[in-house]
Amino acid sequence: MASGPLETYSPSQTLERRHQQQKRKSFNEIDWARSDGRNFHQCRPAYLRTGATSSASGSAYAEFGSTKVIVSVFGPRESKKAMMYSDVGRLNCNVSYTTFSTSTRGQGSDNKDFSSMLQKALEGAIILETFPKTTVDIFALVLESAGGDLPIIISCASLALADAGIMMYDLVSAVSLSCFGKNLVIDPTSEEEACQDGSLMIAYMPIRNEVTQFTLTGEWSTAKINEAMELCLDACSKLSNILRSCLKENVLDFTD
Amino acid sequence: MASTDGDRPESKLAAEIEVEAYRRLFPLPYYDRHLVESVRPDGRALGQARETTIAVGPVSSANGSALVKLGDTTMLAAIKLEVMTPSTKSPDEGSLAVDFYMPPICSPSIRPGRPADTAPVIAKQLSDAISSSGMINLKELSLVSGKAAWMAYLDIYCLNADGSLFDAALLSATAAFSHLQIPLVSLNDSGRVITISEEQKGKSVSEPLNKEIRKLAIKNTPFSLTCILHDKHILADPTSEEESVMDTHVTVVLDSKGRLVSSYKAGGSVLLSRSMIKNCMEIAKQRMEELGEILKESLSAMEID
C-alpha cells in the first residue's frame, strides 16, 4: 500500500452523491426551486471584461455565477512549419481546465472535445480571408467550472477575438438549456446538468441571424425543440448586447 | 489640438517610433542608457518592485485560494484538501504536493501540449522554499494517527507571465495557505473520512474529528525577491522584457524573521561579488517587510467581509 503514488480521495464525495440522488428525485417533479433562486427562464448574472492578460493580442474574462473562464487570443502569427499553404487563415483552439475547477480534484488536462467544438463554433464567424497563411490561436482556461462551460467559453472567446482586432462578421454568443421532463431550464448549473434529460446549446450571431453551432442531446419532441430554440435565441441576443456594451466601455475608457 | 506649429506633433511621432524601434533593435544599449540615469524604462527606480495586490479566496471550489498581481504578472493559487493514509515513517503527519502550471494563455511563447521548461523548475523551488522555511507544520494536517491525514494539493497557475514568476508564485502560495480552511469531517462506518454538511451539524451521526473549522498556524512565512544583475546595477523585480535582455538572475528567499531560506543564482554572465550579495540581501529584506504588510492587509480586509 505504501509503494507507488499516494492514494487520496476527497472527503466530500459521499456527501455529493447523496445530494445528487436527492436532487434527481426533486427534478422529476413539476415544480421545484433552483438552488440559486432563479426562475426557469432566467440566466445567471454575467460579468465580462476584456484585457485580462496583457501578453496576448486580445483576451477576455467571463464569470457567470461561479463559472470563471479566461480566454487569450494570440496572433495572427506564423503557422506551424508542417502546415500546408493555405489561402485563408487558420484557427487553433485549446480548452483546458485547472485542477481545482471542479469539486473533486482533476488532472488539469486539455479538453479535446471542447477544443474542437469551440473551433467549429467560431470558424463561421471569423473572416478568415483577412489573415491568409497565418494562424490565430485561441486558448481558454476554465478556472472554475459550475455548469454551462462550453457556451461561456464560446461567448468569452468571441469577445477576446474582438479585443484582439480579428475581423468577424458578428459576435458569437452561446447559451445552453436543459430539459427536465416538461420543464425547460435555461443556463443550467453543473448540478442541473448532471441530472438533465436532454440538453440544447446554440451559438448564434444575432445581427446576421445565423446559428454557427447547434447541439442537441437526449429525447425531444419537435414542439419542445421549437420552444427551447426560441428561448435560447432570445437569451443569445441579450447576451450579445452585454458583450457589445463591454467592448464599448473598453473603447470609452481608452479615449478618456 | 490643431496647433499653429503644425509640424510639431508629427516630429514628435517620428521620435516616438524611433525610440520604439531602438528598443527592439538594440535592447541592451537601450537599457544601458536608462540605467546610467538610475531609472528603468517603466519609470521605476532600480531597487523598486512593481505594485503588488493580493486577493484572497477567489476560487470557491477550493479549500484555500489567492490571486496575486505583481505588476502584470498574475498568479492564481488554490489548495484542495484530500484524505490519504499517512506513511508508516511519519504516522501523524499530513503531506503537501506543490505544482506549478504555465497554461498557454499566459505567454505567447507557450503552445498547448508542450509544457514550458521553466514550470517544473519553479515548482521544485517553490516546494523547497515552503518545506525548508517550516511555514507549515505537517503535524497539523493529521486526522487519525496512522490511519488518515490531509494531503494538501497546492496548484499554482500563471495567468499572465511578465517576469519574476517565482516571487509572485511564492506570494500566492503563502496567501492561499493563510486563507486555507480545514473543513469539518467525521469517520463513517467503513472507516472513510467524510465531510459534515451544514444541515447534518446538529444531528451529527458520528463524532466529528475536529471540533470546528480551523485555519493552519502559519509561522516563518517565506518571501522572495528576484533581482537582475547587470554591470554594477541591481534591478529588483524584473519584467519579462528585462529578464530576456539581461541574463544574470538572483533570487533570495527570506523568512518573516529575516533569516535566509534559500538563494539561487543560475549562471549568467555577471559574477557575484560579496558586496553585490550583501546589496541583494538588503533589498530583499526591505521587500520582505513590504510584502509582509501587504499580506497582512489583504488578510485583515478579508476578515472584515
Side-chain angles (χ1 to χ4, degrees):
Chain A
M1 201 170 180
S3 63
L6 279 169
E7 286 275 330
T8 63
Y9 63 91
S10 170
S12 58
Q13 265 168 3
T14 341
L15 193 72
E16 258 158 43
R17 220 170 293 141
R18 197 181 311 147
H19 218 76
Q20 217 162 65
Q21 277 162 3
Q22 273 172 13
K23 276 279 167 197
R24 191 158 294 166
K25 251 179 239 155
S26 71
F27 284 147
N28 285 332
E29 290 158 20
I30 303 290
D31 213 20
W32 45 277
R34 297 178 78 170
S35 56
D36 44 10
R38 285 182 287 156
N39 64 39
F40 289 167
H41 297 169
Q42 196 178 358
C43 293
R44 286 171 288 183
Y47 173 78
L48 293 143
R49 217 187 60 192
T50 54
T53 57
S54 63
S55 51
S57 322
S59 62
Y61 169 80
E63 191 176 320
F64 285 58
S66 44
T67 301
K68 302 184 180 83
V69 175
I70 291 187
V71 179
S72 289
V73 172
F74 295 96
R77 56 187 182 184
E78 190 187 2
S79 294
K80 270 191 207 136
K81 293 276 185 304
M83 291 277 196
M84 294 280 286
Y85 170 82
S86 154
D87 275 343
V88 295
R90 284 192 174 86
L91 272 193
N92 175 31
C93 297
N94 179 271
V95 177
S96 56
Y97 278 71
T98 59
T99 54
F100 43 80
S101 58
T102 49
S103 57
T104 45
R105 187 173 181 271
Q107 290 302 309
S109 53
D110 292 356
N111 192 325
K112 294 265 158 55
D113 191 20
F114 280 5
S115 303
S116 72
M117 292 283 273
L118 176 62
Q119 181 180 359
K120 293 276 176 265
L122 293 172
E123 225 169 26
I126 298 172
I127 311 176
L128 296 168
E129 289 79 13
T130 53
F131 49 98
K133 298 188 278 182
T134 51
T135 303
V136 166
D137 289 302
I138 304 170
F139 300 142
L141 180 68
V142 180
L143 302 179
E144 219 179 314
S145 150
D149 298 350
L150 183 60
I152 295 169
I153 293 168
I154 293 171
S155 313
C156 189
S158 86
L159 194 61
L161 283 166
D163 185 46
I166 309 289
M167 299 269 265
M168 285 189 283
Y169 296 110
D170 189 7
L171 284 169
V172 181
S173 53
V175 170
S176 63
L177 182 143
S178 285
C179 170
F180 294 94
K182 287 200 160 47
N183 291 322
L184 293 177
V185 175
I186 206 160
D187 194 17
T189 61
S190 45
E191 195 180 68
E192 288 159 352
E193 275 178 346
C195 310
Q196 69 195 4
D197 299 328
S199 76
L200 169 73
M201 203 254 325
I202 290 184
Y204 180 57
M205 295 191 284
I207 291 185
R208 291 171 64 99
N209 196 16
E210 283 173 348
V211 170
T212 62
Q213 196 165 56
F214 180 96
T215 55
L216 188 80
T217 63
E219 203 175 307
W220 292 79
S221 66
T222 319
K224 266 255 148 354
I225 293 179
N226 286 334
E227 190 193 338
M229 264 177 68
E230 284 306 314
L231 272 172
C232 264
L233 292 179
D234 183 49
C236 282
S237 310
K238 281 178 185 152
L239 179 58
S240 178
N241 289 336
I242 299 175
L243 297 180
R244 235 167 269 278
S245 63
C246 172
L247 285 171
K248 265 186 211 154
E249 252 169 56
N250 217 31
V251 175
L252 289 178
D253 284 349
F254 197 66
T255 46
D256 276 350
Chain B
M1 272 295 180
S3 56
T4 43
D5 42 352
D7 60 336
R8 250 258 182 84
E10 223 181 331
S11 63
K12 209 173 178 183
L13 187 68
E16 244 169 54
I17 289 168
E18 258 174 41
V19 170
E20 204 43 48
Y22 188 67
R23 181 180 196 159
R24 280 172 171 258
L25 291 172
F26 309 103
L28 209 51
Y30 174 81
Y31 270 93
D32 280 335
R33 281 176 62 174
H34 275 89
L35 296 181
V36 167
E37 309 284 332
S38 292
V39 73
R40 288 153 79 170
D42 54 6
R44 281 189 284 161
L46 298 192
Q48 193 187 350
R50 288 168 290 176
E51 198 190 314
T52 312
T53 55
I54 305 173
V56 233
V59 184
S60 53
S61 54
N63 298 93
S65 58
L67 180 79
V68 164
K69 288 197 96 170
L70 178 63
D72 274 337
T73 299
T74 313
M75 289 286 168
L76 180 67
I79 302 168
K80 263 187 173 298
L81 291 175
E82 294 204 344
V83 180
M84 62 159 192
T85 314
S87 69
T88 42
K89 258 186 262 167
S90 48
D92 48 359
E93 273 186 11
S95 190
L96 176 66
V98 182
D99 222 332
F100 181 74
Y101 303 84
M102 292 179 73
I105 63 160
C106 79
S107 156
S109 59
I110 297 167
R111 306 290 175 107
R114 265 178 294 164
D117 298 336
T118 47
V121 179
I122 293 177
K124 181 77 174 69
Q125 287 180 348
L126 281 170
S127 107
D128 285 351
I130 291 169
S131 62
S132 61
S133 66
M135 170 170 70
I136 306 296
N137 183 1
L138 292 177
K139 288 213 166 57
E140 272 196 87
L141 294 173
S142 175
L143 284 165
V144 184
S145 180
K147 289 268 166 54
W150 289 115
M151 173 83 177
Y153 289 104
L154 168 64
D155 293 303
I156 303 171
Y157 279 82
C158 177
L159 302 184
N160 194 18
D162 189 22
S164 306
L165 299 183
F166 175 76
D167 298 358
L170 185 62
L171 186 61
S172 71
T174 47
F177 270 117
S178 312
H179 175 250
L180 178 65
Q181 289 187 322
I182 299 176
L184 282 182
V185 286
S186 67
L187 277 176
N188 71 358
D189 302 334
S190 55
R192 275 170 80 93
V193 176
I194 53 165
T195 21
I196 305 172
S197 64
E198 280 298 316
E199 65 243 48
Q200 279 179 321
K201 224 179 210 168
K203 40 169 184 166
S204 178
V205 199
S206 48
E207 194 65 19
L209 290 170
N210 36 6
K211 289 268 160 12
E212 52 187 354
I213 297 170
R214 64 185 174 95
K215 291 194 157 197
L216 290 176
I218 291 177
K219 47 182 185 181
N220 307 333
T221 348
F223 292 109
S224 78
L225 180 72
T226 301
C227 293
I228 278 189
L229 303 183
H230 181 64
D231 292 338
K232 289 274 169 293
H233 308 291
I234 300 176
L235 284 75
D237 185 26
T239 62
S240 60
E241 190 189 344
E242 288 167 339
E243 280 181 352
S244 65
V245 174
M246 295 165 278
D247 63 350
T248 315
H249 310 189
V250 177
T251 301
V252 178
V253 186
L254 297 172
D255 74 4
S256 47
K257 294 199 179 83
R259 291 174 299 194
L260 180 67
V261 175
S262 58
S263 158
Y264 314 97
K265 176 191 179 284
S269 55
V270 177
L271 298 175
L272 270 183
S273 69
R274 206 175 298 171
S275 66
M276 280 270 223
I277 301 180
K278 227 171 153 185
N279 288 342
C280 281
M281 297 278 184
E282 211 45 57
I283 303 173
K285 198 162 179 190
Q286 283 170 19
R287 179 67 178 156
M288 179 268 287
E289 277 156 17
E290 210 174 289
L291 287 175
E293 274 310 304
I294 295 171
L295 183 61
K296 216 197 274 170
E297 260 171 46
S298 64
L299 289 175
S300 64
M302 180 196 68
E303 263 151 37
I304 291 167
D305 289 344

